[in-house]
Amino acid sequence: KMKSDLPLFYYQPNDVPYLEKSLELNKKIFKDLLIIKGTDCPVFNNVYKHMCYNNETFERLCFIRFYKILEYVKANNIDKFLYCDSDAVFLKVLDFEKILEDEKCVACRPKEQNKFEDVTGAHFSIWTKDGLEDFCNYIIDVYTNNIDILTPKWDWHVKTKTGGGICDMTLMYHWYKGKKNLYEVAGGTFDRGIGMPQNNIADEFEMKGDIKRLRNIDNQIFGTNYNDEIVEFFGLHFQGDKKNYMYNL
């Protein structure tokens, strides 16, 4: 089967044990995989304001990855590319350029969101260089001139003592105006996290124990949705404590 011509980027500044397995699996789909490291980013670090109960160093790196990948794609003149988290695995070669079409970026935006959830994920995402630059500039602009769009959500977390807060996915949610969504792709979907029933909507997929109920049919992976229909997964996200399941693929 042909592999994708577009490169796949990882951002992994530290060593993690599952990286090798993730790369091995994603090499079945992509010819070029690039691991970006680097953690210094004064342009971002000087304006960031931490409004989150999670570890600050970790949350900063979640933003900095976008700037580091942008540096690389600009230096190497790469116009279109994909990004995935190190615990995310693509399962099928799709026509990613056709999915991207004339959008700046296509990412994972749940259609149904709870109050102040405000999330769009890049754990599977397709980008143009200009789109990534636009997003990086947007982040700086928000923290510099427009932080008011973030404070209601953070105030709610503080008032209700709810974990989490403002993260890169919040900024992505406010920036991302594209019509497309990797949770709604022709013929299937990408996974939000194998440990959660929600994907595009709440309680969308059947669970088996602590992960989505998945079956392998002719080397394709399917979940079962609330209508008892089988839905193909084009990528699985082994988020949090579910990384060991990656070794079952």
Side-chain angles (χ1 to χ4, degrees), residues 116 118-120 135 138 142 146 148-153 166-177:
F116 288 126
D118 298 0
V119 62
T120 294
F135 181 47
Y138 176 81
V142 168
N146 202 12
D148 294 357
I149 68 166
L150 305 177
T151 44
K153 173 171 160 65
I166 307 300
C167 67
D168 64 293
M169 293 183 288
T170 319
L171 276 286
M172 189 112 179
Y173 171 84
H174 287 290
W175 169 76
Y176 188 88
K177 299 287 181 264

Side-chain angles (χ1 to χ4, degrees), residues 82-206:
L82 289 93
Y83 168 78
C84 73
D85 284 1
S86 303
D87 56 5
V89 174
F90 286 87
L91 300 172
K92 196 168 194 176
V93 181
L94 301 176
D95 188 343
F96 297 116
E97 292 196 57
K98 189 178 175 206
I99 295 171
L100 181 62
E101 227 166 22
D102 52 5
E103 299 281 355
K104 292 175 175 180
C105 166
V106 183
C108 298
R109 177 177 52 194
K111 187 166 77 176
E112 241 178 58
Q113 305 212 12
N114 298 327
K115 185 178 169 67
F116 288 126
E117 192 170 356
D118 298 0
V119 62
T120 294
H123 60 279
F124 291 109
S125 48
I126 316 170
W127 292 86
T128 62
K129 180 175 62 190
D130 293 347
L132 184 56
E133 185 157 31
D134 193 65
F135 181 47
C136 287
N137 291 339
Y138 176 81
I139 294 167
I140 303 296
D141 183 59
V142 168
Y143 280 108
T144 311
N145 306 310
N146 202 12
I147 202 151
D148 294 357
I149 68 166
L150 305 177
T151 44
K153 173 171 160 65
W154 178 230
D155 292 345
W156 176 83
H157 280 268
V158 173
K159 197 171 88 222
T160 58
K161 298 186 170 56
T162 303
I166 307 300
C167 67
D168 64 293
M169 293 183 288
T170 319
L171 276 286
M172 189 112 179
Y173 171 84
H174 287 290
W175 169 76
Y176 188 88
K177 299 287 181 264
K179 294 182 290 292
K180 299 186 165 205
N181 177 7
L182 288 181
Y183 294 144
E184 297 176 10
V185 205
T189 189
F190 285 84
D191 176 35
R192 186 168 175 182
I194 63 161
M196 48 179 92
Q198 71 267 37
N199 219 55
N200 203 29
I201 59 173
D203 297 317
E204 187 170 1
F205 286 95
E206 199 179 298

Side-chain angles (χ1 to χ4, degrees), residues 65-92:
R65 58 182 172 172
F66 294 107
Y67 294 86
K68 289 299 170 190
I69 293 168
L70 179 62
E71 270 174 29
Y72 188 96
V73 296
K74 284 173 80 171
N76 294 278
N77 219 8
I78 298 168
D79 280 327
K80 294 177 183 178
F81 53 94
L82 289 93
Y83 168 78
C84 73
D85 284 1
S86 303
D87 56 5
V89 174
F90 286 87
L91 300 172
K92 196 168 194 176

Side-chain angles (χ1 to χ4, degrees), residues 203-206 213 215 223-231:
D203 297 317
E204 187 170 1
F205 286 95
E206 199 179 298
R213 191 158 91 91
R215 61 184 86 174
T224 306
N225 73 8
Y226 61 96
N227 280 330
D228 221 27
E229 300 158 334
I230 64 164
V231 177

